[in-house]
Amino acid sequence: MNPLYCSKGHANPTGTRFCLHCGEKLQVAAGNNAEENNGISQGMILGDRYRFISEIGHGGFGRTYLAEDLNRFNERCVLKEFAPQAQGTYALQKAEELFEREAGVLYALQHPQIPRFRELFRVNNSGKGRLFLVQDYVDGQSYRALLESRKRQGLRFTESEVKLLMLQILPVLEYIHSLGAIHRDISPENIILRNSDGLPVLIDFGGVKQVAATVQSQYEQPGADGGTMPMPTRLGKVGYAPDEQMQRGVVFPHSDLYALAATVLVLATCKEPRELIDGQTLLWDWRREVSLSQHLGAILDKMLERRPGDRYQSARAVLDALQTYQPAPDLSPTLPPPPPPVATEATAVVAPAPHPHRTPVASNPPHPQPQPQPHQGGREQGRVASPNRNSPNPTIPSPSAKSQSSFIGLLGKVLVVLVIIGAAGAIGWVVGNTWLQSDSQPETNPPETIPPSPTTTPPVEVEKSPPPISTNEQQRQKLLEQRRQALGISQQFYTDLVNEVFWAQNPQYRGQTPGTGSQNAPLRERRDNTAAALLGNLEQANLSSDARRRLGSYGASDRQRWKEQVNKLHLSSRALYDLTDAKYLSLRSDYSAKRLNLTFQEFLNKPIGQIWHAIAADNVKSAQSGTALQTIRFAPGTTSTEVSRTLKLGDGIAYIAQLNEGQAMQVQLQGSPSTLLSIYPPSNTLPALLEDSKQKTWSGNLAQAGYYEFVVVSNSSKPVDFKLNLTVENAESTPPPVESETPTPSPSSTDEGL
């Protein structure tokens, strides 16, 4: 029998309902024969590259498969087949056009917590064309699988866990919303806890489903019987998506926030939305299932408002609200301080010696309180003891005996008081005399220390503790620490980075850190704000986990190695630095070398320069994978070609073309004014033809043969499209080979960045 596979690729025996490895519920239809999987069987190779493993899902838009990429050492990936339930040639054609457009949007999403979309490809299988989208496979468990596992153990997600999930997923939503994209289908099924770094990953964007719905509602032709057009595919999940999305198909950024809040409550209560929404009022009534802090509860309530205008309008607004989160006060009873010692006949209360610099204040001695004596023969004895304790029949004293005993007791009390007064007077005389003598001595001599009286307890020197930090500040710093840990950056680098930027912004405090105490609270808050901004920049940079882990350790040897690696690709370090500068400056332009009054070399040696290094490291990998570097080739018999791309803020791409000396070249860039163009000749000893220029055209004869570089970067806050047209006379001729860039650039080389 063929095994059953879960979405993580774990093999299970036939008949298993839940994955034996991760607990995920298995689909019965995850079969391996061609009939079950629409003509695809286990082991089949699709597109001469992808080996089919198993089906892991299907819906109105098509099916999802787990596969192996034969061109990447059998690395696992996910194939999404686009097969909408649409009839008619026109509808199918329109569906493919819209799907390709949506795939372009998904391809532009470059975030470490979003699976990377690799490519679109078509195959001819069983006599019909099929369209597939390829994306990275995420090794981990969905929050639905984690929730089911906890249910079986009688557990649920804690408040701190769901709050951390929100803090980690909201920056992802802020990123995709900034690009004009909306997820549309957030739920526990579509968030995966990645095994490699413990971060939540957002999967299964609803844009593809939106295409299927659009095709069915707008382009589907009526049937021959004149019936009505089919109903559109439902977007989102009932209970997770807000009413306007489910009923009218209208989505906004706050629609994703609504779904995230619903997901959080499902995790915290182990109940589905239908069990948490009042059937009569249609309002969320989750407090009967779980007790959350008042502050977090208020945030979730605002995210789940029925009126769209009453919700938070952006992920950033929710993040800001969470960062002011304060835990509920501790209402556990506090133990009262121990009572002062009580005097009895057996213990004399001795007044403490007067302070040498204070005037003694007379006070009455405390009234002695009765104390129970130990039990004797099962009978509790009072303050008046039995005259004969060993007698089996103790005699009760007569009234005269009691009077005599009272007189003796009173006389004893008077004597005790007289002794106390005498002792106190003697001690006062000694202490006062000593104080007068010490006061008359020069200040250079320390005062004489009076040994404590044998009848008193010596004073205990209590070490002063630092003033307490407010609860709000403690929570603020806790959230900063959680964000640092989520990014996977070292504590040492984080501290050095925050100090460096804080001192640059506040030079009067250079070399100092804000001390404890309420008087320094505003300064600590200012430093925490600096830390929060830097963490936000690192989150926005979308650095790979490798690049983040190495922050604090980059150096000159890394730059040399990168230079050699890109040289093998016929790319120069100055082109690499252009791509890196664009991404770095998109984070915070006021952290540039020029704004910090530093040379480029000085900047590289600062903690802030480590972020630039991390971006460069990722750019090298992007160039090697072909994401950030492409080769321009001319079709036989042509002298002109055109390339195009969509860039978001800080993005860039480098093109190379192998050309001959003396050829006439014309370059034209069509796009937003915010796109910058650089053109570099093969040797770094020659000046750039254009460098970070807003000029969109260049023409002239080439002075050298070799690989010319064309670098396009964007500094627009919105995604921009561009087209680069290159015309070269006799472009099909092959120039002689050229040597790669020399390891050490000449002084005329433009090797400076930022």
Side-chain angles (χ1 to χ4, degrees):
M1 300 290 288
N2 291 323
L4 294 177
Y5 292 88
C6 70
S7 62
K8 268 68 73 180
H10 300 141
N12 297 273
T14 303
T16 308
R17 294 185 59 194
F18 295 93
C19 178
L20 301 178
H21 303 270
C22 65
E24 178 183 325
K25 187 175 181 180
L26 299 175
Q27 295 189 23
V28 179
N32 301 312
N33 61 64
E35 182 178 355
E36 287 177 337
N37 293 303
N38 201 18
I40 300 177
S41 59
Q42 187 176 20
M44 180 180 290
I45 308 299
L46 301 174
D48 297 325
R49 177 172 180 174
Y50 302 102
R51 179 190 290 126
F52 170 80
I53 296 179
S54 67
E55 178 186 326
I56 56 178
H58 60 272
F61 67 91
R63 296 172 182 261
T64 303
Y65 308 103
L66 181 65
E68 292 176 336
D69 188 345
L70 302 181
N71 289 4
R72 289 177 176 262
F73 305 99
N74 297 334
E75 180 182 60
R76 288 188 171 178
C77 59
V78 174
L79 306 184
K80 289 184 177 291
E81 180 184 8
F82 183 60
Q85 299 172 358
Q87 304 296 324
T89 304
Y90 178 74
L92 289 173
Q93 179 182 354
K94 182 56 65 175
E96 289 197 2
E97 290 177 5
L98 292 174
F99 179 68
E100 290 183 5
R101 184 187 307 171
E102 181 64 25
V105 174
L106 298 177
Y107 186 81
L109 299 176
Q110 299 290 326
H111 193 282
Q113 289 170 254
I114 298 174
R116 184 168 56 92
F117 290 82
R118 299 182 181 180
E119 66 166 332
L120 276 176
F121 72 93
R122 288 181 172 83
V123 297
N124 193 333
N125 180 262
S126 301
K128 74 171 186 176
R130 307 177 72 166
L131 187 61
F132 293 88
L133 183 149
V134 187
Q135 70 180 99
D136 283 351
Y137 163 75
V138 181
D139 182 19
Q141 296 188 63
S142 71
Y143 273 80
R144 172 62 66 187
L146 294 170
L147 180 61
E148 294 299 329
S149 176
R150 295 205 180 185
K151 280 184 180 180
R152 291 193 292 272
Q153 302 174 54
L155 303 174
R156 60 178 66 175
F157 282 80
T158 64
E159 176 170 344
S160 60
E161 287 178 312
V162 296
K163 187 181 70 174
L164 180 59
L165 172 63
M166 294 176 70
L167 289 170
Q168 292 174 334
I169 212 70
L170 282 167
V172 186
L173 293 179
E174 183 181 26
Y175 166 75
I176 66 173
H177 294 163
S178 70
L179 300 181
I182 298 173
H183 187 280
R184 296 184 176 94
D185 197 14
I186 294 176
S187 65
E189 290 82 359
N190 291 335
I191 306 177
I192 291 181
L193 184 64
R194 187 163 51 199
N195 290 335
S196 60
D197 55 12
L199 287 177
V201 178
L202 205 53
I203 66 168
D204 203 10
F205 280 69
V208 175
K209 299 176 185 178
Q210 174 66 45
V211 170
T214 302
V215 169
Q216 288 185 286
S217 61
Q218 298 184 17
Y219 301 104
E220 186 72 42
Q221 300 298 325
D225 58 355
T228 58
M229 290 194 290
M231 293 295 292
T233 301
R234 175 178 283 172
L235 302 179
K237 294 180 177 64
V238 175
Y240 292 92
D243 291 344
E244 70 273 8
Q245 179 177 341
M246 297 301 299
Q247 296 174 6
R248 295 182 286 120
V250 180
V251 291
F252 304 94
H254 55 68
S255 306
D256 282 347
L257 303 180
Y258 183 102
L260 176 60
T263 298
V264 164
L265 287 177
V266 168
L267 296 176
T269 62
C270 292
K271 301 287 185 181
E272 288 304 306
R274 65 179 179 274
E275 302 174 88
L276 301 174
I277 297 177
D278 188 285
Q280 307 216 357
T281 64
L282 300 181
L283 299 177
W284 286 80
D285 185 18
W286 53 267
R287 285 177 172 82
R288 67 178 186 271
E289 299 291 344
V290 66
S291 176
L292 300 178
S293 64
Q294 183 178 0
H295 191 86
L296 181 59
I299 292 175
L300 294 173
D301 286 341
K302 187 173 177 65
M303 296 169 72
L304 292 168
E305 287 285 358
R306 288 198 69 187
R307 287 170 45 89
D310 293 339
R311 301 174 197 147
Y312 292 105
Q313 299 300 299
S314 68
R316 172 50 53 185
V318 183
L319 277 171
D320 290 342
L322 281 172
Q323 288 170 354
T324 61
Y325 169 80
Q326 295 185 15
D330 185 6
L331 300 180
S332 59
T334 303
L335 293 176
V342 180
T344 66
E345 285 88 341
T347 59
V349 178
V350 181
H355 192 279
H357 294 280
R358 293 179 186 166
T359 304
V361 179
S363 61
N364 296 324
H367 185 72
Q369 299 293 328
Q371 292 292 327
Q373 297 297 323
H375 287 231
Q376 300 290 339
R379 177 185 297 175
E380 183 177 354
Q381 302 298 321
R383 288 188 298 131
V384 182
S386 171
N388 186 2
R389 298 187 181 213
N390 297 324
S391 172
N393 298 308
T395 304
I396 303 299
S398 64
S400 60
K402 291 176 73 175
S403 300
Q404 183 180 5
S405 175
S406 299
F407 173 79
I408 295 173
L410 179 61
L411 180 60
K413 290 179 183 180
V414 172
L415 291 175
V416 169
V417 171
L418 291 176
V419 170
I420 292 173
I421 294 174
I427 294 173
W429 181 85
V430 172
V431 172
N433 187 50
T434 303
W435 170 67
L436 290 174
Q437 291 178 2
S438 63
D439 193 53
S440 63
Q441 292 177 354
E443 293 183 359
T444 54
N445 295 329
E448 182 181 356
T449 303
I450 304 299
S453 171
T455 58
T456 61
T457 303
V460 179
E461 189 72 24
V462 180
E463 184 180 355
K464 293 184 178 180
S465 59
I469 296 178
S470 68
T471 304
N472 188 29
E473 182 173 352
Q474 291 178 25
Q475 186 63 26
R476 185 177 72 229
Q477 293 178 354
K478 180 180 178 182
L479 291 176
L480 290 174
E481 178 61 15
Q482 289 174 341
R483 292 174 67 184
R484 180 195 70 79
Q485 292 177 353
L487 285 168
I489 60 177
S490 72
Q491 179 67 59
Q492 184 61 54
F493 166 72
Y494 169 72
T495 302
D496 292 344
L497 176 65
V498 174
N499 284 340
E500 180 61 36
V501 175
F502 177 72
W503 291 335
Q505 296 170 339
N506 305 273
Q508 68 274 27
Y509 298 112
R510 178 164 290 278
Q512 306 175 35
T513 54
T516 58
S518 58
Q519 71 276 11
N520 291 318
L523 196 58
R524 292 196 301 273
E525 182 176 6
R526 193 187 310 176
R527 185 179 183 276
D528 287 347
N529 291 339
T530 299
L534 287 166
L535 290 172
N537 292 334
L538 288 169
E539 291 162 350
Q540 181 186 345
N542 300 328
L543 298 170
S544 67
S545 56
D546 264 355
R548 293 197 304 267
R549 276 196 298 267
R550 286 211 56 204
L551 283 167
S553 65
Y554 292 108
S557 61
D558 295 295
R559 299 194 297 273
Q560 180 62 35
R561 185 179 71 256
W562 298 333
K563 185 181 296 185
E564 294 169 358
Q565 289 173 336
V566 297
N567 283 174
K568 293 178 181 178
L569 305 172
H570 306 292
L571 191 71
S572 67
S573 62
R574 55 186 174 180
L576 171 65
Y577 287 8
D578 276 355
L579 298 174
T580 304
D581 288 353
K583 183 64 171 288
Y584 178 84
L585 293 177
S586 71
L587 304 178
R588 286 290 293 266
S589 60
D590 55 337
Y591 293 163
S592 68
K594 294 177 182 177
R595 292 293 295 271
L596 295 174
N597 296 319
L598 301 171
T599 66
F600 185 56
Q601 192 61 44
E602 291 171 335
F603 166 81
L604 292 178
N605 293 330
K606 296 287 186 181
I608 191 70
Q610 289 290 301
I611 301 177
W612 185 95
H613 281 87
I615 295 172
D618 278 351
N619 279 337
V620 172
K621 292 182 180 179
S622 296
Q624 291 172 328
S625 68
T627 304
L629 175 63
Q630 293 185 12
T631 301
I632 297 177
R633 294 184 173 87
F634 296 86
T638 63
T639 60
S640 181
T641 188
E642 184 178 87
V643 292
S644 62
R645 192 72 172 266
T646 300
L647 298 177
K648 60 180 184 291
L649 176 63
D651 267 1
I653 185 169
Y655 299 96
I656 56 174
Q658 193 175 14
L659 306 173
N660 274 329
E661 181 180 352
Q663 285 184 302
M665 181 176 73
Q666 182 177 2
V667 182
Q668 183 176 14
L669 178 66
Q670 300 176 8
S672 167
S674 60
T675 53
L676 305 178
L677 175 64
S678 299
I679 305 175
Y680 297 120
S683 173
N684 61 4
T685 59
L686 296 178
L689 306 181
L690 288 177
E691 185 173 18
D692 289 334
S693 174
K694 293 185 178 181
Q695 182 179 332
K696 297 297 188 286
T697 60
W698 185 93
S699 60
N701 293 328
L702 303 181
Q704 199 176 38
Y707 283 93
Y708 281 76
E709 302 165 307
F710 309 87
V711 184
V712 183
V713 300
S714 170
N715 58 14
S716 172
S717 59
K718 297 181 178 179
V720 295
D721 299 324
F722 75 84
K723 293 181 180 179
L724 181 69
N725 184 277
L726 179 63
T727 302
V728 181
E729 181 184 359
N730 299 324
E732 68 274 15
S733 60
T734 304
V738 295
E739 296 181 359
S740 64
E741 180 186 15
T742 55
T744 305
S746 65
S748 61
S749 167
T750 317
D751 205 29
E752 286 275 315
L754 298 177

